[in-house]
Amino acid sequence: MATTDGNLHRRTVLAAGLIALPGLAPAIAKSGTGAPPRTVNLKETSDMKMIFGTKQVGDVEVFYREVGPADAPVLLLLHGFPTAGHMFRDLMPALAGRYRVIAPDLPGFGNTVAPGRASFDYSFDTMAEVIEGFVDAMGLHRYALYIFDYGAPTGLRLAMRHPERVSAIITQNGNAYVEGLSAEWESWQTYWREPSAQHREACRAALTDDAIRFQYQHGAPAGLVSPDGYTLDIGYMHRPERYEIQLDLILSYRTNVALYPDFQAYFRKHQPPLLAVWGRNDPFFIPAGAEAFRRDLPQAEIHLIDAGHFALETSHAEIAERMTDFLGRQSL
């Protein structure tokens, strides 16, 4: 049957658009060629779906999101403060074609369910123990680590305990050197030196709605930060006990700085391939922290990008491209 030019144009545009979606194109034959229809790869389609689940680790029910082929090299993404695994919502699909990408929520964050403060120690040592248990529960024997903010001291504890498991490290504003700490840390450092009620209260300013918005927006290109991420994090912060849990973790952060020499010794001894993709406008972890990795890892690849602390909010495509290039040259 003949078709009008308008109908033909619409069909051509529709077909081109569907074919452009990898793994999702329907069976479309080229008009008039007699070519057989394209068969949909159902496994490929299934691998591109984000799935959500939980793993029980002691008293903690760890929530996680995952995408990518089950038999692909594993990327373990560890988020920071005050967010959760949702910070990787744009990055994960961009990597899913080549990797199995897994992002758990840390205890005290997101949708992970942990006991109250009366019966659970909210510290970085405990967070690392829980994530180690999560890794074991997921059956992960080798993985590349993506570490950001709080995810850095958590992930580096895992790396020191099981260096044979870590195939590579991607640090996005995930610090391991005192040079990376800006002047914004002064009130926290005062609390570390003298953990009084007065100094604890002073740290509460970092937990306000305005402070969370500041973390997302400062140093980011104007108009590119969606309100979705910080609005969700603000909602998380208003749940019962969350302010006190976060103040406990602020005090515990001093243990991370104390471990910097140990993290650095791990780098020197095991020489993990490392990529630093760092938002250069981060007000908390400054570029000197990224450059410092080369002191212990001479082959480290350092890229400072035009972004703030939450660089994925505005630069996930660039970061995914850097990661794909870097990881493609490693033995994962």
Side-chain angles (χ1 to χ4, degrees), residues 84-158:
H86 74 85
M87 70 167 281
F88 301 113
R89 62 195 179 277
D90 295 322
L91 180 68
M92 293 179 73
L95 300 171
R98 301 184 182 206
Y99 305 103
R100 180 186 178 193
V101 193
I102 302 170
D105 290 356
L106 299 174
F109 297 83
N111 292 296
T112 285
V113 179
R117 294 174 64 239
S119 58
F120 188 81
D121 176 28
Y122 283 93
S123 68
F124 282 87
D125 284 340
T126 302
M127 284 205 299
E129 290 169 4
V130 170
I131 297 304
E132 182 177 4
F134 169 78
V135 166
D136 291 340
M138 293 289 288
L140 308 181
H141 303 294
R142 189 165 172 82
Y143 47 82
L145 273 172
Y146 184 112
I147 53 177
F148 164 72
D149 192 78
Y150 278 17
T154 303
L156 291 177
R157 279 172 168 81
L158 267 64

Side-chain angles (χ1 to χ4, degrees), residues 17-102:
L18 289 172
I19 290 172
L21 296 175
L24 299 180
I28 299 174
K30 294 181 179 179
S31 176
T33 65
R38 180 186 185 277
T39 302
V40 177
N41 184 333
L42 296 179
K43 181 178 184 299
E44 181 183 350
T45 301
S46 175
D47 288 341
M48 296 301 290
K49 291 182 179 179
M50 188 84 71
I51 63 172
F52 307 89
T54 60
K55 289 291 183 183
Q56 195 69 35
V57 180
D59 293 333
V60 180
E61 184 181 87
V62 180
F63 174 86
Y64 68 96
R65 62 198 71 215
E66 175 180 348
V67 68
D71 58 352
V74 175
L75 305 184
L76 180 63
L77 314 183
L78 299 180
H79 68 81
F81 163 83
T83 187
H86 74 85
M87 70 167 281
F88 301 113
R89 62 195 179 277
D90 295 322
L91 180 68
M92 293 179 73
L95 300 171
R98 301 184 182 206
Y99 305 103
R100 180 186 178 193
V101 193
I102 302 170

Side-chain angles (χ1 to χ4, degrees), residues 81-82 107 109 117 121-125 127 149-150 153 157 181 184-196 198-208 211-212 215 237 241-258 284:
F81 163 83
F109 297 83
R117 294 174 64 239
D121 176 28
Y122 283 93
S123 68
F124 282 87
D125 284 340
M127 284 205 299
D149 192 78
Y150 278 17
R157 279 172 168 81
L181 300 176
E184 296 290 333
W185 289 81
E186 181 53 39
S187 63
W188 289 26
Q189 291 171 327
T190 300
Y191 183 34
W192 302 343
R193 291 189 294 267
E194 186 183 342
S196 66
Q198 178 183 359
H199 292 154
R200 181 180 177 93
E201 191 63 26
C203 292
R204 199 176 294 270
L207 311 179
T208 65
I212 292 173
Q215 287 195 49
M237 189 63 72
E241 283 202 313
R242 284 301 182 258
Y243 288 104
E244 299 309 315
I245 287 171
Q246 293 303 329
L247 289 171
D248 290 346
L249 288 172
I250 288 174
L251 181 59
S252 179
Y253 202 94
R254 61 184 175 176
T255 65
N256 302 330
V257 178
F284 310 105

Side-chain angles (χ1 to χ4, degrees), residues 212-271:
I212 292 173
R213 279 190 288 267
F214 173 85
Q215 287 195 49
Y216 273 80
Q217 295 174 336
H218 181 85
L224 295 186
V225 177
S226 166
D228 296 339
Y230 61 73
T231 300
L232 181 55
D233 289 344
I234 288 170
Y236 285 147
M237 189 63 72
H238 284 271
R239 294 186 299 183
E241 283 202 313
R242 284 301 182 258
Y243 288 104
E244 299 309 315
I245 287 171
Q246 293 303 329
L247 289 171
D248 290 346
L249 288 172
I250 288 174
L251 181 59
S252 179
Y253 202 94
R254 61 184 175 176
T255 65
N256 302 330
V257 178
L259 279 175
Y260 281 179
D262 294 328
F263 295 158
Q264 294 157 20
Y266 156 76
F267 296 146
R268 289 192 298 273
K269 179 177 180 180
H270 296 283
Q271 293 293 304

